């Protein structure tokens, strides 16, 4: 299964990063979003990412700018799917929305196209039949792309082995480390571990044991790292964190989900909106005096 063109469905934070890495890696890339404003933001964010990478590693910027210029942005789904060999879906973590999107993709995409979802916690089997080609459907879940270079490959029971092999190859070409999940598991590996950690941080906050900055400071100092639980939640996205915690039924998770919902309702989604538990682009935890 030769992959030349990748269609990115959803131009949010992670869709943008996947698209940029794919273009840099030599793939032709189509980026679709229903909102024209999101496509403009995606392009601007790509340019910012390239500037950051250029500062860190001089001499690469010119090639990366050329990669951005080769990307096709559109709010027409049919155009986005023309000639694509692989679809990477990163629309909002809402099962009804994703289901409708996959029904449409299944009708419009070329017959040979591999279908992948970048969902954080849904299972591929929840969308495989809706897509019309379950044997070509698989979860292909990215993390940060540029810093956390893991891509999870999680097939459902009906995914063809050839699809898994193709995704392993694509993952490596995208400069990621493929991790194969043997059976479907909500949260893959890292997110399953992260959820337990989120629950613990949430219990400390909602139980009024301590405040956001104190909890983060304790973690950062003890593990000698530059970000704590709530800074990481801002990077994950508070909307995603809310979807994850709201699916749990224990009282502590429900209390934290209720708190997260207040942030989401105010549009405070974390780094992608400029505000979450911290304000961006200069959160207090990056201040040299934060750990003093």
């Amino acid at each position: 299964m030769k992959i030349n063109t990748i269609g990115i469905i959803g131009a949010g934070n992670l869709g943008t990063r996947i698209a940029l890495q794919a273009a840099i890696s030599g793939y032709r890339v189509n980026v679709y979003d229903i909102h024209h404003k999101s496509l403009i933001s995606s392009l601007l964010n790509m340019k910012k990412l390239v500037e950051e990478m250029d500062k860190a590693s001089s001499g690469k910027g010119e090639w990366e700018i050329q990669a951005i210029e080769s990307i096709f942005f559109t709010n027409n789904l049919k155009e986005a799917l023309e000639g694509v060999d692989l679809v990477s879906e990163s629309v909002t973590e809402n099962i009804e929305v994703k289901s409708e999107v996959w029904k449409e993709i299944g009708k419009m995409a070329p017959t040979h196209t591999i279908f992948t979802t970048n969902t954080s916690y849904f299972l591929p089997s929840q969308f495989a039949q809706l897509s019309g080609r379950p044997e070509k459907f698989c979860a292909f879940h990215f993390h940060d792309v540029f810093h956390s270079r893991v891509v999870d490959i999680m097939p459902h029971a009906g995914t063809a082995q050839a699809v898994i092999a193709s995704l392993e190859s694509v993952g490596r070409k995208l400069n990621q480390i493929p991790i194969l999940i043997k059976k479907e598991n909500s949260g893959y590996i890292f997110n399953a571990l992260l959820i337990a950690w989120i629950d613990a941080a949430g219990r400390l906050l909602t139980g009024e044991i301590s405040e956001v900055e104190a909890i983060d400071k304790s973690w950062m100092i003890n593990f000698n790292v530059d970000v704590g639980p709530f800074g990481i939640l801002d990077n994950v996205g508070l909307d995603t964190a809310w979807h994850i915690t709201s699916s749990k039924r224990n009282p502590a998770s429900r209390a934290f989900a209720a708190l997260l919902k207040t942030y989401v309702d105010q549009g405070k989604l974390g780094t992608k909106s400029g505000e979450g538990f911290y304000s961006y682009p200069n959160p207090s935890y990056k201040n040299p005096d934060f750990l003093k």
Side-chain angles (χ1 to χ4, degrees):
M1 295 182 181
K2 181 91 171 155
I3 308 298
N4 295 309
T5 304
I6 298 176
I8 306 296
I9 310 301
N13 182 50
L14 198 47
T16 292
R17 288 171 174 267
I18 298 167
L20 177 57
Q21 181 62 74
I24 290 170
S25 301
Y27 290 103
R28 291 194 295 273
V29 180
N30 300 339
V31 176
Y32 164 82
D33 199 284
I34 194 171
H35 301 293
H36 182 67
K37 183 179 178 181
S38 296
L39 296 172
I40 295 172
S41 295
S42 179
L43 177 58
L44 292 174
N45 287 333
M46 285 183 190
K47 291 179 178 179
K48 289 178 184 177
L49 285 167
V50 166
E51 288 175 5
E52 292 172 4
M53 288 187 282
D54 199 33
K55 288 178 183 177
S57 179
S58 60
K60 292 178 63 181
E62 183 178 345
W63 158 242
E64 288 162 348
I65 287 293
Q66 290 176 354
I68 293 175
E69 291 173 348
S70 72
I71 298 172
F72 174 59
F73 293 87
T74 180
N75 59 0
N76 183 306
L77 183 58
K78 186 176 180 180
E79 285 184 350
L81 294 171
E82 287 181 4
V84 299
D85 305 304
L86 185 148
V87 167
S88 174
E89 170 267 310
S90 294
V91 303
T92 186
E93 286 290 278
N94 178 292
I95 194 164
E96 288 80 15
V97 172
K98 285 185 181 290
S99 295
E100 290 304 313
V101 167
W102 277 113
K103 288 176 185 176
E104 292 302 307
I105 293 173
K107 295 174 186 175
M108 298 180 187
T111 56
H112 71 279
T113 306
I114 293 174
F115 289 168
T116 71
T117 178
N118 190 43
T119 180
S120 296
Y121 70 98
F122 291 127
L123 303 176
S125 58
Q126 292 177 272
F127 309 106
Q129 295 295 334
L130 293 173
S131 76
R133 56 190 84 168
E135 74 285 355
K136 292 183 178 177
F137 199 100
C138 190
F140 196 43
H141 174 251
F142 295 83
H143 293 252
D144 175 85
V145 178
F146 294 108
H147 301 292
S148 302
R149 294 173 37 248
V150 166
V151 60
D152 301 302
I153 300 172
M154 186 167 73
H156 64 95
T159 305
Q161 287 298 316
V163 168
I164 298 170
S166 291
L167 293 178
E168 287 179 318
S169 177
V170 171
R172 292 189 181 93
K173 187 172 179 181
L174 291 174
N175 196 32
Q176 308 298 295
I177 299 169
I179 301 293
L180 181 62
I181 314 298
K182 292 176 65 176
K183 62 169 66 174
E184 288 186 302
N185 181 62
S186 182
Y188 306 89
I189 295 174
F190 177 76
N191 284 1
L193 297 170
L194 181 63
I195 288 168
W197 191 48
I198 288 172
D199 278 349
R203 282 196 301 274
L204 291 170
L205 181 62
T206 58
E208 300 182 347
I209 306 300
S210 197
E211 300 294 333
V212 166
E213 290 194 352
I215 295 167
D216 276 359
K217 284 179 183 180
S218 179
W219 188 270
M220 292 165 69
I221 293 168
N222 278 293
F223 279 93
N224 192 28
V225 292
D226 57 6
V227 63
F230 292 101
I232 289 175
L233 280 172
D234 277 350
N235 283 294
V236 169
L238 300 193
D239 50 344
T240 299
W242 172 73
H243 278 297
I244 293 170
T245 55
S246 63
S247 68
K248 298 173 74 67
R249 292 292 175 261
N250 64 79
S253 293
R254 292 178 71 85
F256 190 40
L259 175 63
L260 289 169
K261 188 65 162 59
T262 66
Y263 282 81
V264 173
D265 288 345
Q266 297 175 67
K268 297 179 180 180
L269 308 180
T271 55
K272 60 187 173 185
S273 69
E275 187 175 1
F277 288 108
Y278 296 92
S279 295
Y280 297 86
N282 300 304
S284 60
Y285 65 79
K286 288 189 176 181
N287 189 313
D289 295 329
F290 184 73
L291 298 182
K292 293 183 178 178

